[in-house]
Amino acid sequence: MGYYKIKSHAGTGKLLNIAASGPISGRKNTNIWDESCPIDQTWSIASLGNNQQVKIINNLSYMLNANTSTWNCDVYTSNSDTYVNFEKVSTGVYYIRLKSHPERYLTAGGTKSGSDVSWEKLSTTTAGKKAQQWKVTATSLPLSLIHISEPTRPEPIS
């Protein structure tokens, strides 16, 4: 398992982001945003292969999900629409394909902060394909989530 930042437009765009503040509970929308809040922009992924869940570190019970009534991408608890396949395009750049609906790819709806993310069919245009390519970069766990305790010292010998 590793921690990752996922950046739209093959790495030239914005970070995949949870469009919410505070703890996650219930279905929450995803969008792209300038790098700002590590807890809402860092993802836990077991491996960059097939049959993976992309979990938000804000609450590891929530992961990328397809709302199949609208094809919007949100985060939700584990179900058949939370599994994805990573398809390598180039070094560090992937298509993120929905396993339950393999014709659907994670797609940035624009290039500005706040642009929605959805699950769309593979684009046939250069610009459309770029919106479906995601640069996945390993990162460390944000310091705000690391518990640092005082080291213990042995008792002095008397």
Side-chain angles (χ1 to χ4, degrees):
M1 176 183 63
Y3 301 106
Y4 296 89
K5 299 281 187 177
I6 303 174
K7 191 177 263 193
S8 69
H9 297 84
T12 63
K14 312 284 185 196
L15 290 174
L16 186 60
N17 180 73
I18 299 301
S21 59
I24 295 175
S25 61
R27 195 179 294 269
K28 298 292 183 196
N29 192 40
T30 60
N31 60 18
I32 57 172
W33 203 267
D34 287 318
E35 189 162 358
S36 60
C37 183
I39 196 168
D40 292 334
Q41 296 176 329
T42 303
W43 303 85
S44 174
I45 307 168
S47 74
L48 300 176
N50 291 331
N51 202 32
Q52 299 299 310
Q53 290 181 309
V54 180
K55 300 177 179 184
I56 186 65
I57 64 163
N58 183 318
N59 182 338
L60 293 171
S61 296
Y62 287 82
M63 55 223 64
L64 290 184
N65 175 67
N67 181 336
T68 56
S69 63
T70 62
W71 293 113
N72 185 55
C73 179
D74 56 23
V75 291
Y76 198 58
T77 55
S78 185
N79 65 74
S80 65
D81 294 322
T82 61
Y83 288 88
V84 299
N85 296 329
F86 287 87
E87 297 179 357
K88 190 172 184 177
V89 175
S90 61
T91 303
V93 177
Y94 297 85
Y95 287 119
I96 302 175
R97 190 176 197 173
L98 194 58
K99 184 175 184 276
S100 60
H101 298 274
E103 74 284 1
R104 298 286 176 161
Y105 294 80
L106 191 64
T107 306
T111 57
K112 296 180 179 176
S113 284
S115 295
D116 274 336
V117 176
S118 60
W119 297 97
E120 304 295 333
K121 293 185 177 178
L122 187 62
S123 179
T124 57
T125 69
T126 301
K129 285 182 181 177
K130 207 64 150 171
Q132 294 176 319
Q133 295 175 4
W134 299 85
K135 176 110 177 151
V136 182
T137 307
T139 189
S140 57
L141 195 60
L143 287 177
S144 61
L145 293 179
I146 298 173
H147 176 72
I148 301 172
S149 61
E150 184 178 337
T152 58
R153 290 178 285 201
E155 292 294 321
I157 301 173
S158 50

